[in-house]
PDB file of all heavy atoms in Angstrom:
ATOM      1  N   LEU A   1    -111.991  96.387  23.378  1.00  0.00           N
ATOM      2  CA  LEU A   1    -111.919  97.807  23.891  1.00  0.00           C
ATOM      3  C   LEU A   1    -110.547  97.951  24.742  1.00  0.00           C
ATOM      4  O   LEU A   1    -110.418  99.036  25.369  1.00  0.00           O
ATOM      5  CB  LEU A   1    -113.035  98.083  24.884  1.00  0.00           C
ATOM      6  CG  LEU A   1    -114.425  98.045  24.296  1.00  0.00           C
ATOM      7  CD1 LEU A   1    -115.526  98.259  25.294  1.00  0.00           C
ATOM      8  CD2 LEU A   1    -114.464  99.109  23.229  1.00  0.00           C
ATOM      9  N   ALA A   2    -109.688  97.048  24.756  1.00  0.00           N
ATOM     10  CA  ALA A   2    -108.544  97.012  25.624  1.00  0.00           C
ATOM     11  C   ALA A   2    -107.569  98.254  25.337  1.00  0.00           C
ATOM     12  O   ALA A   2    -106.978  98.792  26.066  1.00  0.00           O
ATOM     13  CB  ALA A   2    -107.678  95.762  25.577  1.00  0.00           C
ATOM     14  N   ASN A   3    -107.577  98.570  24.027  1.00  0.00           N
ATOM     15  CA  ASN A   3    -106.779  99.734  23.604  1.00  0.00           C
ATOM     16  C   ASN A   3    -107.165 101.004  23.985  1.00  0.00           C
ATOM     17  O   ASN A   3    -106.354 102.111  24.065  1.00  0.00           O
ATOM     18  CB  ASN A   3    -106.444  99.590  22.019  1.00  0.00           C
ATOM     19  CG  ASN A   3    -105.756  98.360  21.662  1.00  0.00           C
ATOM     20  OD1 ASN A   3    -105.013  97.803  22.421  1.00  0.00           O
ATOM     21  ND2 ASN A   3    -106.021  97.901  20.301  1.00  0.00           N
ATOM     22  N   ASN A   4    -108.503 101.204  24.138  1.00  0.00           N
ATOM     23  CA  ASN A   4    -109.105 102.417  24.517  1.00  0.00           C
ATOM     24  C   ASN A   4    -109.584 102.338  25.905  1.00  0.00           C
ATOM     25  O   ASN A   4    -110.692 101.816  26.267  1.00  0.00           O
ATOM     26  CB  ASN A   4    -110.338 102.746  23.517  1.00  0.00           C
ATOM     27  CG  ASN A   4    -110.908 103.973  23.605  1.00  0.00           C
ATOM     28  OD1 ASN A   4    -110.581 104.781  24.626  1.00  0.00           O
ATOM     29  ND2 ASN A   4    -111.613 104.483  22.622  1.00  0.00           N
ATOM     30  N   SER A   5    -108.742 102.881  26.899  1.00  0.00           N
ATOM     31  CA  SER A   5    -109.062 102.647  28.293  1.00  0.00           C
ATOM     32  C   SER A   5    -110.321 103.410  28.753  1.00  0.00           C
ATOM     33  O   SER A   5    -111.026 102.962  29.580  1.00  0.00           O
ATOM     34  CB  SER A   5    -107.887 103.141  29.167  1.00  0.00           C
ATOM     35  OG  SER A   5    -107.506 104.565  28.899  1.00  0.00           O
ATOM     36  N   GLU A   6    -110.614 104.533  28.051  1.00  0.00           N
ATOM     37  CA  GLU A   6    -111.833 105.304  28.618  1.00  0.00           C
ATOM     38  C   GLU A   6    -113.120 104.490  28.121  1.00  0.00           C
ATOM     39  O   GLU A   6    -114.037 104.389  28.894  1.00  0.00           O
ATOM     40  CB  GLU A   6    -111.786 106.664  27.811  1.00  0.00           C
ATOM     41  CG  GLU A   6    -112.973 107.597  28.317  1.00  0.00           C
ATOM     42  CD  GLU A   6    -112.890 108.895  27.731  1.00  0.00           C
ATOM     43  OE1 GLU A   6    -111.957 109.265  26.915  1.00  0.00           O
ATOM     44  OE2 GLU A   6    -113.808 109.763  28.088  1.00  0.00           O
ATOM     45  N   ALA A   7    -113.071 103.977  26.928  1.00  0.00           N
ATOM     46  CA  ALA A   7    -114.265 103.210  26.422  1.00  0.00           C
ATOM     47  C   ALA A   7    -114.298 101.929  27.262  1.00  0.00           C
ATOM     48  O   ALA A   7    -115.483 101.533  27.694  1.00  0.00           O
ATOM     49  CB  ALA A   7    -114.040 102.883  24.960  1.00  0.00           C
ATOM     50  N   LEU A   8    -113.196 101.238  27.654  1.00  0.00           N
ATOM     51  CA  LEU A   8    -113.299 100.144  28.438  1.00  0.00           C
ATOM     52  C   LEU A   8    -113.695 100.327  29.890  1.00  0.00           C
ATOM     53  O   LEU A   8    -114.576  99.633  30.313  1.00  0.00           O
ATOM     54  CB  LEU A   8    -111.879  99.487  28.563  1.00  0.00           C
ATOM     55  CG  LEU A   8    -111.724  98.172  29.434  1.00  0.00           C
ATOM     56  CD1 LEU A   8    -112.556  97.050  28.720  1.00  0.00           C
ATOM     57  CD2 LEU A   8    -110.299  97.772  29.518  1.00  0.00           C
ATOM     58  N   SER A   9    -113.454 101.422  30.529  1.00  0.00           N
ATOM     59  CA  SER A   9    -113.947 101.804  31.770  1.00  0.00           C
ATOM     60  C   SER A   9    -115.434 102.091  31.748  1.00  0.00           C
ATOM     61  O   SER A   9    -116.188 101.616  32.645  1.00  0.00           O
ATOM     62  CB  SER A   9    -113.175 102.965  32.446  1.00  0.00           C
ATOM     63  OG  SER A   9    -113.450 104.133  31.706  1.00  0.00           O
ATOM     64  N   LEU A  10    -115.837 102.677  30.726  1.00  0.00           N
ATOM     65  CA  LEU A  10    -117.292 103.001  30.441  1.00  0.00           C
ATOM     66  C   LEU A  10    -118.093 101.714  30.354  1.00  0.00           C
ATOM     67  O   LEU A  10    -119.130 101.502  30.949  1.00  0.00           O
ATOM     68  CB  LEU A  10    -117.516 103.991  29.318  1.00  0.00           C
ATOM     69  CG  LEU A  10    -117.436 105.410  29.606  1.00  0.00           C
ATOM     70  CD1 LEU A  10    -117.558 106.178  28.276  1.00  0.00           C
ATOM     71  CD2 LEU A  10    -118.442 105.917  30.527  1.00  0.00           C
ATOM     72  N   TYR A  11    -117.592 100.831  29.574  1.00  0.00           N
ATOM     73  CA  TYR A  11    -118.167  99.518  29.352  1.00  0.00           C
ATOM     74  C   TYR A  11    -118.202  98.683  30.641  1.00  0.00           C
ATOM     75  O   TYR A  11    -119.344  98.240  30.948  1.00  0.00           O
ATOM     76  CB  TYR A  11    -117.412  98.748  28.207  1.00  0.00           C
ATOM     77  CG  TYR A  11    -118.054  97.435  27.965  1.00  0.00           C
ATOM     78  CD1 TYR A  11    -119.248  97.352  27.197  1.00  0.00           C
ATOM     79  CD2 TYR A  11    -117.556  96.249  28.414  1.00  0.00           C
ATOM     80  CE1 TYR A  11    -119.820  96.047  26.931  1.00  0.00           C
ATOM     81  CE2 TYR A  11    -118.173  94.924  28.191  1.00  0.00           C
ATOM     82  CZ  TYR A  11    -119.249  94.914  27.422  1.00  0.00           C
ATOM     83  OH  TYR A  11    -119.799  93.855  27.143  1.00  0.00           O
ATOM     84  N   ASN A  12    -117.148  98.710  31.417  1.00  0.00           N
ATOM     85  CA  ASN A  12    -117.167  97.918  32.685  1.00  0.00           C
ATOM     86  C   ASN A  12    -118.129  98.598  33.559  1.00  0.00           C
ATOM     87  O   ASN A  12    -118.805  97.877  34.368  1.00  0.00           O
ATOM     88  CB  ASN A  12    -115.818  97.874  33.218  1.00  0.00           C
ATOM     89  CG  ASN A  12    -114.927  96.934  32.518  1.00  0.00           C
ATOM     90  OD1 ASN A  12    -115.225  95.987  31.801  1.00  0.00           O
ATOM     91  ND2 ASN A  12    -113.599  97.295  32.590  1.00  0.00           N
ATOM     92  N   ALA A  13    -118.240  99.878  33.630  1.00  0.00           N
ATOM     93  CA  ALA A  13    -119.234 100.517  34.569  1.00  0.00           C
ATOM     94  C   ALA A  13    -120.659 100.182  34.197  1.00  0.00           C
ATOM     95  O   ALA A  13    -121.501  99.932  34.999  1.00  0.00           O
ATOM     96  CB  ALA A  13    -119.045 101.958  34.547  1.00  0.00           C
ATOM     97  N   GLY A  14    -120.941 100.147  32.866  1.00  0.00           N
ATOM     98  CA  GLY A  14    -122.215  99.749  32.296  1.00  0.00           C
ATOM     99  C   GLY A  14    -122.562  98.342  32.649  1.00  0.00           C
ATOM    100  O   GLY A  14    -123.655  98.013  33.131  1.00  0.00           O
ATOM    101  N   ARG A  15    -121.550  97.359  32.507  1.00  0.00           N
ATOM    102  CA  ARG A  15    -121.809  96.093  32.890  1.00  0.00           C
ATOM    103  C   ARG A  15    -122.110  95.824  34.411  1.00  0.00           C
ATOM    104  O   ARG A  15    -123.006  95.044  34.775  1.00  0.00           O
ATOM    105  CB  ARG A  15    -120.695  95.140  32.345  1.00  0.00           C
ATOM    106  CG  ARG A  15    -120.531  95.027  30.880  1.00  0.00           C
ATOM    107  CD  ARG A  15    -121.676  94.426  30.188  1.00  0.00           C
ATOM    108  NE  ARG A  15    -121.871  92.971  30.602  1.00  0.00           N
ATOM    109  CZ  ARG A  15    -122.731  92.172  30.064  1.00  0.00           C
ATOM    110  NH1 ARG A  15    -123.562  92.636  29.138  1.00  0.00           N
ATOM    111  NH2 ARG A  15    -122.899  90.913  30.521  1.00  0.00           N
ATOM    112  N   SER A  16    -121.332  96.592  35.195  1.00  0.00           N
ATOM    113  CA  SER A  16    -121.487  96.338  36.677  1.00  0.00           C
ATOM    114  C   SER A  16    -122.873  96.945  37.123  1.00  0.00           C
ATOM    115  O   SER A  16    -123.562  96.433  37.930  1.00  0.00           O
ATOM    116  CB  SER A  16    -120.448  97.111  37.494  1.00  0.00           C
ATOM    117  OG  SER A  16    -120.300  98.379  37.291  1.00  0.00           O
ATOM    118  N   LYS A  17    -123.339  98.095  36.421  1.00  0.00           N
ATOM    119  CA  LYS A  17    -124.647  98.614  36.695  1.00  0.00           C
ATOM    120  C   LYS A  17    -125.708  97.571  36.346  1.00  0.00           C
ATOM    121  O   LYS A  17    -126.746  97.447  36.997  1.00  0.00           O
ATOM    122  CB  LYS A  17    -124.903  99.928  35.928  1.00  0.00           C
ATOM    123  CG  LYS A  17    -124.251 101.199  36.595  1.00  0.00           C
ATOM    124  CD  LYS A  17    -124.591 102.376  35.826  1.00  0.00           C
ATOM    125  CE  LYS A  17    -125.992 102.888  36.334  1.00  0.00           C
ATOM    126  NZ  LYS A  17    -126.277 104.243  35.904  1.00  0.00           N
ATOM    127  N   LYS A  18    -125.474  96.975  35.136  1.00  0.00           N
ATOM    128  CA  LYS A  18    -126.530  95.926  34.647  1.00  0.00           C
ATOM    129  C   LYS A  18    -126.551  94.866  35.759  1.00  0.00           C
ATOM    130  O   LYS A  18    -127.701  94.346  36.233  1.00  0.00           O
ATOM    131  CB  LYS A  18    -126.070  95.378  33.365  1.00  0.00           C
ATOM    132  CG  LYS A  18    -127.086  94.202  32.961  1.00  0.00           C
ATOM    133  CD  LYS A  18    -126.542  93.602  31.640  1.00  0.00           C
ATOM    134  CE  LYS A  18    -127.520  92.467  31.290  1.00  0.00           C
ATOM    135  NZ  LYS A  18    -127.139  91.738  30.043  1.00  0.00           N
ATOM    136  N   THR A  19    -125.400  94.386  36.238  1.00  0.00           N
ATOM    137  CA  THR A  19    -125.310  93.237  37.220  1.00  0.00           C
ATOM    138  C   THR A  19    -126.173  93.662  38.484  1.00  0.00           C
ATOM    139  O   THR A  19    -126.902  92.976  39.053  1.00  0.00           O
ATOM    140  CB  THR A  19    -123.949  92.836  37.545  1.00  0.00           C
ATOM    141  OG1 THR A  19    -123.209  92.367  36.429  1.00  0.00           O
ATOM    142  CG2 THR A  19    -123.965  91.769  38.575  1.00  0.00           C
ATOM    143  N   TRP A  20    -125.778  94.939  39.057  1.00  0.00           N
ATOM    144  CA  TRP A  20    -126.418  95.332  40.336  1.00  0.00           C
ATOM    145  C   TRP A  20    -127.897  95.571  40.059  1.00  0.00           C
ATOM    146  O   TRP A  20    -128.806  95.329  40.918  1.00  0.00           O
ATOM    147  CB  TRP A  20    -125.788  96.618  40.867  1.00  0.00           C
ATOM    148  CG  TRP A  20    -124.561  96.327  41.504  1.00  0.00           C
ATOM    149  CD1 TRP A  20    -123.224  96.530  41.176  1.00  0.00           C
ATOM    150  CD2 TRP A  20    -124.514  95.632  42.849  1.00  0.00           C
ATOM    151  NE1 TRP A  20    -122.342  96.099  42.038  1.00  0.00           N
ATOM    152  CE2 TRP A  20    -123.070  95.523  43.150  1.00  0.00           C
ATOM    153  CE3 TRP A  20    -125.417  95.145  43.725  1.00  0.00           C
ATOM    154  CZ2 TRP A  20    -122.611  94.957  44.322  1.00  0.00           C
ATOM    155  CZ3 TRP A  20    -125.036  94.562  44.923  1.00  0.00           C
ATOM    156  CH2 TRP A  20    -123.641  94.392  45.158  1.00  0.00           C
ATOM    157  N   GLY A  21    -128.315  96.080  38.898  1.00  0.00           N
ATOM    158  CA  GLY A  21    -129.760  96.189  38.677  1.00  0.00           C
ATOM    159  C   GLY A  21    -130.460  94.933  38.614  1.00  0.00           C
ATOM    160  O   GLY A  21    -131.538  94.844  39.130  1.00  0.00           O
ATOM    161  N   ASN A  22    -129.863  93.902  38.050  1.00  0.00           N
ATOM    162  CA  ASN A  22    -130.468  92.569  37.992  1.00  0.00           C
ATOM    163  C   ASN A  22    -130.540  91.987  39.415  1.00  0.00           C
ATOM    164  O   ASN A  22    -131.582  91.355  39.715  1.00  0.00           O
ATOM    165  CB  ASN A  22    -129.676  91.648  37.110  1.00  0.00           C
ATOM    166  CG  ASN A  22    -129.872  91.972  35.710  1.00  0.00           C
ATOM    167  OD1 ASN A  22    -130.836  92.595  35.320  1.00  0.00           O
ATOM    168  ND2 ASN A  22    -128.984  91.490  34.876  1.00  0.00           N
ATOM    169  N   VAL A  23    -129.400  92.112  40.221  1.00  0.00           N
ATOM    170  CA  VAL A  23    -129.514  91.599  41.623  1.00  0.00           C
ATOM    171  C   VAL A  23    -130.627  92.255  42.337  1.00  0.00           C
ATOM    172  O   VAL A  23    -131.383  91.603  43.124  1.00  0.00           O
ATOM    173  CB  VAL A  23    -128.252  91.812  42.226  1.00  0.00           C
ATOM    174  CG1 VAL A  23    -128.191  91.655  43.708  1.00  0.00           C
ATOM    175  CG2 VAL A  23    -127.100  90.893  41.591  1.00  0.00           C
ATOM    176  N   LEU A  24    -130.759  93.584  42.305  1.00  0.00           N
ATOM    177  CA  LEU A  24    -131.753  94.267  43.069  1.00  0.00           C
ATOM    178  C   LEU A  24    -133.199  93.809  42.547  1.00  0.00           C
ATOM    179  O   LEU A  24    -134.155  93.576  43.389  1.00  0.00           O
ATOM    180  CB  LEU A  24    -131.585  95.770  42.926  1.00  0.00           C
ATOM    181  CG  LEU A  24    -130.358  96.320  43.743  1.00  0.00           C
ATOM    182  CD1 LEU A  24    -130.283  97.780  43.428  1.00  0.00           C
ATOM    183  CD2 LEU A  24    -130.488  96.137  45.207  1.00  0.00           C
ATOM    184  N   PHE A  25    -133.344  93.876  41.262  1.00  0.00           N
ATOM    185  CA  PHE A  25    -134.628  93.545  40.672  1.00  0.00           C
ATOM    186  C   PHE A  25    -135.142  92.044  40.960  1.00  0.00           C
ATOM    187  O   PHE A  25    -136.230  91.851  41.541  1.00  0.00           O
ATOM    188  CB  PHE A  25    -134.615  93.651  39.161  1.00  0.00           C
ATOM    189  CG  PHE A  25    -135.957  93.557  38.465  1.00  0.00           C
ATOM    190  CD1 PHE A  25    -136.948  94.451  38.545  1.00  0.00           C
ATOM    191  CD2 PHE A  25    -136.101  92.418  37.710  1.00  0.00           C
ATOM    192  CE1 PHE A  25    -138.168  94.352  38.007  1.00  0.00           C
ATOM    193  CE2 PHE A  25    -137.384  92.208  37.043  1.00  0.00           C
ATOM    194  CZ  PHE A  25    -138.379  93.223  37.148  1.00  0.00           C
ATOM    195  N   TYR A  26    -134.267  91.054  40.661  1.00  0.00           N
ATOM    196  CA  TYR A  26    -134.716  89.795  40.953  1.00  0.00           C
ATOM    197  C   TYR A  26    -134.755  89.374  42.413  1.00  0.00           C
ATOM    198  O   TYR A  26    -135.527  88.528  42.847  1.00  0.00           O
ATOM    199  CB  TYR A  26    -133.846  88.763  40.176  1.00  0.00           C
ATOM    200  CG  TYR A  26    -134.043  88.888  38.650  1.00  0.00           C
ATOM    201  CD1 TYR A  26    -133.054  89.271  37.824  1.00  0.00           C
ATOM    202  CD2 TYR A  26    -135.273  88.656  38.129  1.00  0.00           C
ATOM    203  CE1 TYR A  26    -133.263  89.519  36.510  1.00  0.00           C
ATOM    204  CE2 TYR A  26    -135.623  88.856  36.783  1.00  0.00           C
ATOM    205  CZ  TYR A  26    -134.461  89.238  35.980  1.00  0.00           C
ATOM    206  OH  TYR A  26    -134.604  89.413  34.587  1.00  0.00           O
ATOM    207  N   GLY A  27    -133.862  90.078  43.204  1.00  0.00           N
ATOM    208  CA  GLY A  27    -133.991  89.861  44.596  1.00  0.00           C
ATOM    209  C   GLY A  27    -135.245  90.421  45.265  1.00  0.00           C
ATOM    210  O   GLY A  27    -135.892  89.817  46.148  1.00  0.00           O
ATOM    211  N   GLY A  28    -135.669  91.571  44.683  1.00  0.00           N
ATOM    212  CA  GLY A  28    -137.031  92.150  45.182  1.00  0.00           C
ATOM    213  C   GLY A  28    -138.054  91.367  44.766  1.00  0.00           C
ATOM    214  O   GLY A  28    -139.054  91.123  45.538  1.00  0.00           O
ATOM    215  N   ILE A  29    -138.129  90.766  43.560  1.00  0.00           N
ATOM    216  CA  ILE A  29    -139.163  89.834  43.027  1.00  0.00           C
ATOM    217  C   ILE A  29    -139.259  88.628  43.958  1.00  0.00           C
ATOM    218  O   ILE A  29    -140.305  88.286  44.343  1.00  0.00           O
ATOM    219  CB  ILE A  29    -138.978  89.550  41.661  1.00  0.00           C
ATOM    220  CG1 ILE A  29    -139.381  90.751  40.722  1.00  0.00           C
ATOM    221  CG2 ILE A  29    -139.925  88.404  41.193  1.00  0.00           C
ATOM    222  CD1 ILE A  29    -139.062  90.439  39.262  1.00  0.00           C
ATOM    223  N   GLY A  30    -138.035  88.055  44.394  1.00  0.00           N
ATOM    224  CA  GLY A  30    -138.002  86.923  45.205  1.00  0.00           C
ATOM    225  C   GLY A  30    -138.590  87.183  46.552  1.00  0.00           C
ATOM    226  O   GLY A  30    -139.331  86.384  47.070  1.00  0.00           O
ATOM    227  N   LEU A  31    -138.238  88.343  47.131  1.00  0.00           N
ATOM    228  CA  LEU A  31    -138.810  88.681  48.525  1.00  0.00           C
ATOM    229  C   LEU A  31    -140.205  88.833  48.435  1.00  0.00           C
ATOM    230  O   LEU A  31    -140.971  88.480  49.369  1.00  0.00           O
ATOM    231  CB  LEU A  31    -138.044  89.976  48.976  1.00  0.00           C
ATOM    232  CG  LEU A  31    -136.664  89.812  49.532  1.00  0.00           C
ATOM    233  CD1 LEU A  31    -136.114  91.312  49.872  1.00  0.00           C
ATOM    234  CD2 LEU A  31    -136.696  88.906  50.741  1.00  0.00           C
ATOM    235  N   VAL A  32    -140.752  89.633  47.403  1.00  0.00           N
ATOM    236  CA  VAL A  32    -142.242  89.756  47.359  1.00  0.00           C
ATOM    237  C   VAL A  32    -142.970  88.491  47.157  1.00  0.00           C
ATOM    238  O   VAL A  32    -143.893  88.213  47.745  1.00  0.00           O
ATOM    239  CB  VAL A  32    -142.512  90.785  46.195  1.00  0.00           C
ATOM    240  CG1 VAL A  32    -144.071  90.844  45.913  1.00  0.00           C
ATOM    241  CG2 VAL A  32    -142.033  92.233  46.599  1.00  0.00           C
ATOM    242  N   ALA A  33    -142.426  87.701  46.266  1.00  0.00           N
ATOM    243  CA  ALA A  33    -143.110  86.454  45.902  1.00  0.00           C
ATOM    244  C   ALA A  33    -143.153  85.460  47.208  1.00  0.00           C
ATOM    245  O   ALA A  33    -144.121  84.897  47.596  1.00  0.00           O
ATOM    246  CB  ALA A  33    -142.518  85.735  44.783  1.00  0.00           C
ATOM    247  N   THR A  34    -141.914  85.440  47.775  1.00  0.00           N
ATOM    248  CA  THR A  34    -141.843  84.530  48.919  1.00  0.00           C
ATOM    249  C   THR A  34    -142.803  84.990  50.139  1.00  0.00           C
ATOM    250  O   THR A  34    -143.510  84.174  50.702  1.00  0.00           O
ATOM    251  CB  THR A  34    -140.401  84.398  49.523  1.00  0.00           C
ATOM    252  OG1 THR A  34    -139.519  83.999  48.488  1.00  0.00           O
ATOM    253  CG2 THR A  34    -140.259  83.604  50.675  1.00  0.00           C
ATOM    254  N   ASN A  35    -142.782  86.297  50.362  1.00  0.00           N
ATOM    255  CA  ASN A  35    -143.641  86.830  51.444  1.00  0.00           C
ATOM    256  C   ASN A  35    -145.068  86.541  51.148  1.00  0.00           C
ATOM    257  O   ASN A  35    -145.919  86.165  51.989  1.00  0.00           O
ATOM    258  CB  ASN A  35    -143.410  88.247  51.686  1.00  0.00           C
ATOM    259  CG  ASN A  35    -143.988  88.797  52.984  1.00  0.00           C
ATOM    260  OD1 ASN A  35    -145.138  89.025  53.005  1.00  0.00           O
ATOM    261  ND2 ASN A  35    -143.215  88.820  54.010  1.00  0.00           N
ATOM    262  N   LEU A  36    -145.504  86.770  49.847  1.00  0.00           N
ATOM    263  CA  LEU A  36    -146.943  86.564  49.459  1.00  0.00           C
ATOM    264  C   LEU A  36    -147.275  85.057  49.592  1.00  0.00           C
ATOM    265  O   LEU A  36    -148.441  84.710  49.972  1.00  0.00           O
ATOM    266  CB  LEU A  36    -147.110  87.172  48.147  1.00  0.00           C
ATOM    267  CG  LEU A  36    -147.134  88.642  47.974  1.00  0.00           C
ATOM    268  CD1 LEU A  36    -147.415  89.096  46.594  1.00  0.00           C
ATOM    269  CD2 LEU A  36    -148.184  89.255  48.956  1.00  0.00           C
ATOM    270  N   ILE A  37    -146.378  84.175  49.109  1.00  0.00           N
ATOM    271  CA  ILE A  37    -146.762  82.857  49.191  1.00  0.00           C
ATOM    272  C   ILE A  37    -146.941  82.307  50.596  1.00  0.00           C
ATOM    273  O   ILE A  37    -147.798  81.620  51.033  1.00  0.00           O
ATOM    274  CB  ILE A  37    -145.717  81.908  48.465  1.00  0.00           C
ATOM    275  CG1 ILE A  37    -145.873  82.142  46.914  1.00  0.00           C
ATOM    276  CG2 ILE A  37    -145.875  80.456  48.773  1.00  0.00           C
ATOM    277  CD1 ILE A  37    -144.716  81.719  46.101  1.00  0.00           C
TER     278      ILE A  37
END
């Protein structure tokens, strides 16, 4: 995607959203599980 800057920026935005979604999701699961245990 390096030749198409618009597609590259959209792809990078999607990957960063995936990373933040995973951090929030698994962090939340960790907090809930730890507190319940």
Side-chain angles (χ1 to χ4, degrees):
L1 298 177
N3 296 335
N4 191 340
S5 62
E6 187 177 357
L8 181 62
S9 66
L10 278 172
Y11 181 76
N12 287 335
R15 292 299 294 189
S16 66
K17 279 185 84 167
K18 178 184 178 186
T19 301
W20 280 109
N22 285 341
V23 166
L24 291 176
F25 184 73
Y26 293 117
I29 287 176
L31 283 174
V32 169
T34 302
N35 194 282
L36 290 178
I37 290 170

